[in-house]
Amino acid sequence: YTTHNHAEDSTDIFFRHLQLNEVTITGLAGDTKLKHSTAPVSIVTPQMLRSTSSVNIIDAISHQPGVSQLTTGSGISKPIIRGLGYNRVVVMSEGVRQEGQQWSDEHGVEVDGNSVGSVEILKGPASLMYGSDAMAGVVILRPRPILPEGEMGANFSTEYQTNNGLFGYNLSMAGNKKGFVWDGSFSQKLAHAYKNKYDGYVPGSQFRDLAGRLMLGLNKTWGYSRLTATAYKLTPGIVEGKRDSETGELVHDEGFTGCGYGKSLPYQQVKHYKVVWDNFVNLPLGYIKAIVGYQQNRRQEFEESLEDYELYFKLHTLTYDLRYVSEEWNGWKISTGIGGMYQKSANLGEEYLIPDYNLFDFGIYATATKTLGKRWMLNGGIRYDYRRLHGNELIEDDRQRFTDFSRHFNGVTGSIGAVYNINQHFNLRMNLARGFRTPNMSELASNGVHEGSARYELGNQQLKAEYSIQSDLGVDFSSRYVSAQLALFANRINNYIFVHRVPEIIDPDYHTYAYTQGNARLLGFEAGIDFHPIHSVHFSNTFSYVDAQLTSYALPITSDMKYLPFTPAPRWSSELKWELSHHSHATIAHHHTTDKIHRSLLNNFYIAAGLDYYLRQTHIHSTDDTETMTPAYFLLSLSAGTDIQLNGKKVAEIYITADNLLNKAYQNHLSRLKYGDINLLTGRKGVFNMGRNITFKLVVPIKM
């Protein structure tokens, strides 16, 4: 943040809050200020990303209120927003939706976290610019900002984690000379298996990734045009959770060693390539934004040989978006656009889970915002979507594995909302939105063993599209010493699609799971408060809760099936942070000490203690043992960070974080590793999450 020139240090946090409200976010009319957003939005700043210990970008944002992650133990995380995930959350990267087989547990987000400058999280179907699949919300991964005209710079960062031996580094360089802009980066990350006090080293949890990015563009008075190319390669192991019946130890491949960085069976190899052409043209009465993207995702699973794959998905995706956003006149701002996607997926391996398929969709939308005086901001919009899915027939060993079929879906969605600025301290937000999501190919037609999820999956070609109605009510408060937020939501979903275990046995080595649907409702809230009696001390607390239940189903709803499966447990997060030195505070409040501070070695130095408490999750879908209850647990953390400066100039940033400080053995409710084999010696079921982990991170900016 840029600190305002005010005299009282105790008001600094209040001013920071006001400045954050001035941040421009993606809203109903193309862009809007955060304080004018009618639905809840979380902003993850660059400094927050740098100081957070994580194994990937979704892990880095998973502590935001209302946000969770589904993990598989090998560097793979999927975002869950208010209890909804998979194809109900759209992830935007480089301005286009990230498409990489995100329908499965062990299919993560193929984006290098080092290329992300900041993150914007839209909660609920409040934004109409993203179409089908944005029912739960949108995670927008924004690239690093363009440097100012005439500047060049480079950046080097590295980190090490003690539990899984993670070692990573990133080198980037950017510049802006006479309107020609560029930004290039290269990253690598290696991690061996993680460990905990119950399982020791967990076979299959090791991973490695390699990433590169290059952006070239022109910035002119008429607008800009930028071409970005990214390549990302991830090689994660697959945690099977199988145990030796005599020793109780986790079974592993002969080539596995706990501290080894090499590959062991089974494992995946994922390659994701992306090219995006982003254009922005200023007009006398607004602007036009046009963006086209091509992505290719190659996903291979190796089960019997380190060299020969059994399963191979190859996915091509072409996306486009064209929108016009008007200037504001008489309090009105209008946006209209069209966007869509074409996909082609092919099976190139010896095993099959879903058929080859083609997908085509498009959507058209219009939105408007209206400012009424100084207190009211109204917005709303409408969108129409059409999608066609075609699955190809497959005959295998004289047996029809997949049938040839086509499905067509269309839907109308919309939203209307308002923000009322009660006074300088209070904002009231209200929003009502209708969401829409079509079934994905896995839900419609899967028929095979899913190694990553350790189950046999059956699709259902008769599934209908999901429709939701969600209402949001929120209030924000900010003052000199306290800032607080409360966001309530109620979401009703017709034709909610979920997977559940069935007694039918198709493969004797795997349980069978099938897709079905019914009507559902989700209720919940996020609450947060930050108390700062003085500028250097912050005591923040957030609480997230969601209750998800079936309201109607093909069968009578009994007590063991009333709750939707895999709903995040309620979570309370607390942090006490002490900023021991801050350059901007001191130089503003005490101008005569500026020279002394310039000679100081440390700046922006802080220490913090954190607590994450996950309540017991008893609201489970226990029919046919689909899921089990998860006991309560808490995790403690300590962190510290500082800038290193010489002669008043920053030369490095250093961060140290100790997660799970007490080395707690726990299982997250959303981790599929809970459902591994039972250890016959201890009676414990499944695999536990990572134990104590200390992260060291160094960031070195290089001025040119």
Side-chain angles (χ1 to χ4, degrees):
Y1 306 102
T2 304
T3 308
H4 280 267
N5 186 12
H6 53 284
E8 295 181 345
D9 288 352
S10 58
T11 65
D12 184 57
I13 303 301
F14 178 48
F15 278 95
R16 287 192 190 183
H17 180 77
L18 293 178
Q19 291 176 51
L20 184 60
N21 274 329
E22 297 301 313
V23 171
T24 299
I25 63 169
T26 302
L28 281 173
D31 53 60
T32 187
K33 291 182 179 180
L34 181 61
K35 66 181 178 181
H36 294 154
S37 174
T38 60
V41 179
S42 292
I43 303 295
V44 184
T45 65
Q47 198 280 332
M48 292 167 65
L49 289 176
R50 292 196 301 271
S51 62
T52 299
S53 170
S54 64
V55 295
N56 55 58
I57 185 60
I58 301 303
D59 186 29
I61 66 173
S62 62
H63 290 277
Q64 292 297 306
V67 180
S68 307
Q69 62 173 326
L70 187 151
T71 63
T72 62
S74 55
I76 293 176
S77 301
K78 300 175 69 66
I80 307 293
I81 298 179
R82 290 178 163 179
L84 300 175
Y86 298 88
N87 285 82
R88 297 181 184 90
V89 175
V90 168
V91 176
M92 301 290 293
S93 174
E94 305 293 350
V96 300
R97 54 188 296 158
Q98 183 76 13
E99 289 292 324
Q101 313 283 4
Q102 62 267 31
W103 41 266
S104 178
D105 289 353
E106 84 288 2
H107 298 175
V109 177
E110 300 90 352
V111 175
D112 175 29
N114 292 295
S115 67
V116 178
S118 62
V119 182
E120 181 182 324
I121 305 169
L122 312 181
K123 302 171 189 175
S127 179
L128 298 175
M129 294 186 295
Y130 305 101
S132 175
D133 302 346
M135 178 176 286
V138 183
V139 177
I140 303 175
L141 307 177
R142 299 202 176 279
R144 294 181 295 268
I146 302 297
L147 292 181
E149 166 63 37
E151 289 193 11
M152 290 178 57
N155 192 81
F156 173 76
S157 64
T158 185
E159 64 177 312
Y160 176 75
Q161 298 184 11
T162 59
N163 187 288
N164 60 353
L166 185 149
F167 171 73
Y169 64 91
N170 169 261
L171 179 62
S172 62
M173 181 179 296
N176 185 345
K177 295 292 185 179
K178 298 181 180 180
F180 175 64
V181 297
W182 69 93
D183 190 342
S185 65
F186 177 81
S187 300
Q188 187 174 24
K189 192 180 296 180
L190 305 170
H192 61 63
Y194 77 79
K195 59 184 177 181
N196 60 65
K197 67 179 183 180
Y198 285 167
D199 302 315
Y201 287 102
V202 176
S205 61
Q206 67 272 21
F207 69 93
R208 59 175 62 192
D209 67 30
L210 193 67
R213 178 180 184 268
L214 178 63
M215 184 278 293
L216 302 173
L218 290 174
N219 279 10
K220 298 295 182 180
T221 55
W222 51 262
Y224 66 75
S225 181
R226 298 168 188 164
L227 184 67
T228 304
T230 64
Y232 183 81
K233 179 183 177 182
L234 175 66
T235 307
I238 297 176
V239 181
E240 295 184 300
K242 297 180 180 179
R243 294 186 180 272
D244 186 287
S245 59
E246 295 183 359
T247 66
E249 294 183 355
L250 290 167
V251 176
H252 55 78
D253 178 66
E254 291 183 0
F256 171 78
T257 58
C259 295
Y261 291 88
K263 296 180 288 188
S264 65
L265 295 172
Y267 74 94
Q268 295 186 77
Q269 184 167 272
V270 184
K271 298 178 181 178
H272 195 92
Y273 307 99
K274 183 190 303 180
V275 178
V276 178
W277 187 27
D278 186 5
N279 300 275
F280 179 99
V281 180
N282 287 308
L283 299 175
L285 298 177
Y287 67 82
I288 289 178
K289 186 172 178 62
I291 188 167
V292 179
Y294 169 75
Q295 300 173 69
Q296 183 183 118
N297 184 275
R298 303 179 182 182
R299 182 177 301 276
Q300 300 168 329
E301 289 187 6
F302 298 78
E303 301 160 18
E304 304 295 335
S305 168
L306 291 174
E307 305 299 330
D308 299 322
Y309 52 80
E310 277 77 24
L311 189 145
Y312 185 179
F313 295 126
K314 189 174 183 180
L315 176 67
H316 303 268
T317 303
L318 179 67
T319 55
Y320 63 92
D321 183 82
L322 176 66
R323 75 184 66 151
Y324 167 75
V325 180
S326 72
E327 286 188 345
E328 185 174 336
W329 84 100
N330 294 328
W332 285 95
K333 191 173 184 180
I334 305 295
S335 173
T336 184
I338 185 171
M341 174 173 63
Y342 172 77
Q343 282 188 337
K344 180 179 177 62
S345 178
N347 287 292
L348 303 180
E350 299 176 352
E351 296 183 357
Y352 308 95
L353 176 59
I354 61 174
D356 295 351
Y357 72 88
N358 296 297
L359 179 151
F360 170 79
D361 79 358
F362 75 89
I364 185 169
Y365 63 89
T367 67
T369 65
K370 171 64 175 176
T371 302
L372 297 176
K374 296 182 178 180
R375 295 186 180 271
W376 282 97
M377 167 67 75
L378 308 178
N379 63 31
I382 190 169
R383 179 184 177 104
Y384 171 79
D385 280 287
Y386 170 85
R387 174 169 289 184
R388 178 182 182 272
L389 273 163
H390 177 79
N392 297 334
E393 181 184 50
L394 175 65
I395 304 296
E396 182 186 27
D397 298 329
D398 297 326
R399 182 175 69 94
Q400 189 174 50
R401 183 68 170 272
F402 303 113
T403 62
D404 187 271
F405 76 100
S406 294
R407 293 293 306 274
H408 303 260
F409 304 93
N410 59 79
V412 176
T413 56
S415 70
I416 184 169
V419 177
Y420 179 53
N421 301 124
I422 300 173
N423 53 40
Q424 184 184 14
H425 301 287
F426 281 99
N427 286 330
L428 181 65
R429 308 175 191 273
M430 300 157 283
N431 198 79
L432 181 66
R434 186 179 196 237
F436 166 71
R437 184 184 81 90
T438 69
N440 60 49
M441 186 54 68
S442 174
E443 295 164 338
L444 289 169
S446 58
N447 184 13
V449 173
H450 194 171
E451 291 284 349
S453 298
R455 64 196 185 199
Y456 196 103
E457 292 186 0
L458 290 174
N460 181 354
Q461 292 185 15
Q462 305 307 312
L463 294 176
K464 302 176 182 178
E466 296 179 346
Y467 290 92
S468 70
I469 293 290
Q470 177 166 317
S471 57
D472 285 273
L473 178 64
V475 61
D476 304 333
F477 171 78
S478 59
S479 69
R480 176 180 299 183
Y481 301 113
V482 178
S483 61
Q485 306 82 34
L486 175 64
L488 309 172
F489 69 90
N491 192 3
R492 291 193 173 271
I493 304 177
N494 291 332
N495 308 321
Y496 179 84
I497 300 169
F498 62 97
V499 65
H500 69 117
R501 184 174 165 184
V502 296
E504 179 183 1
I505 299 298
I506 299 178
D507 188 312
D509 295 328
Y510 297 90
H511 296 301
T512 304
Y513 285 73
Y515 287 98
T516 185
Q517 61 186 168
N519 295 335
R521 70 110 178 102
L522 293 88
L523 303 174
F525 67 92
E526 297 101 41
I529 185 169
D530 186 356
F531 179 59
H532 33 271
I534 56 177
H535 74 78
S536 60
V537 176
H538 313 264
F539 183 49
S540 60
N541 293 268
T542 63
F543 188 82
S544 303
Y545 174 81
V546 59
D547 178 72
Q549 297 188 24
L550 277 175
T551 57
S552 65
Y553 189 54
L555 301 174
I557 299 177
T558 57
S559 59
D560 60 348
M561 62 184 299
K562 63 181 289 188
Y563 296 107
L564 297 185
F566 307 111
T567 300
R571 183 184 73 204
W572 169 46
S573 296
S574 181
E575 183 186 63
L576 179 62
K577 185 176 182 179
W578 181 21
E579 294 179 341
L580 281 76
S581 66
H582 197 294
H583 184 171
S584 59
H585 295 163
T587 55
I588 293 170
H590 307 286
H591 292 281
H592 64 276
T593 64
T594 299
D595 291 339
K596 180 179 179 180
I597 290 177
H598 277 192
R599 294 192 299 269
S600 174
L601 178 63
L602 304 182
N603 188 36
N604 297 325
F605 178 50
Y606 72 88
I607 56 175
L611 168 69
D612 284 323
Y613 180 65
Y614 292 80
L615 279 67
R616 186 184 184 199
Q617 181 56 289
T618 60
H619 292 181
I620 62 171
H621 193 92
S622 59
T623 303
D624 297 314
D625 294 325
T626 295
E627 64 174 337
T628 59
M629 292 188 294
T630 303
Y633 61 92
F634 66 90
L635 304 174
L636 293 177
S637 65
L638 288 177
S639 61
T642 186
D643 294 346
I644 305 297
Q645 60 180 24
L646 296 175
N647 298 322
K649 295 182 179 180
K650 183 172 71 174
V651 297
E653 300 174 27
I654 297 177
Y655 303 98
I656 302 175
T657 304
D659 292 311
N660 193 1
L661 189 65
L662 302 181
N663 200 27
K664 178 76 173 179
Y666 71 97
Q667 291 175 319
N668 187 285
H669 185 68
L670 297 184
S671 172
R672 72 164 184 83
L673 305 185
K674 278 183 59 182
Y675 303 98
D677 289 351
I678 295 176
N679 186 330
L680 297 178
L681 298 185
T682 64
R684 302 187 187 102
K685 181 179 177 60
V687 178
F688 286 74
N689 289 77
M690 186 183 293
R692 182 187 299 114
N693 186 34
I694 303 175
T695 300
F696 303 89
K697 186 179 293 187
L698 172 68
V699 181
V700 180
I702 304 171
K703 290 289 186 179
M704 295 184 176

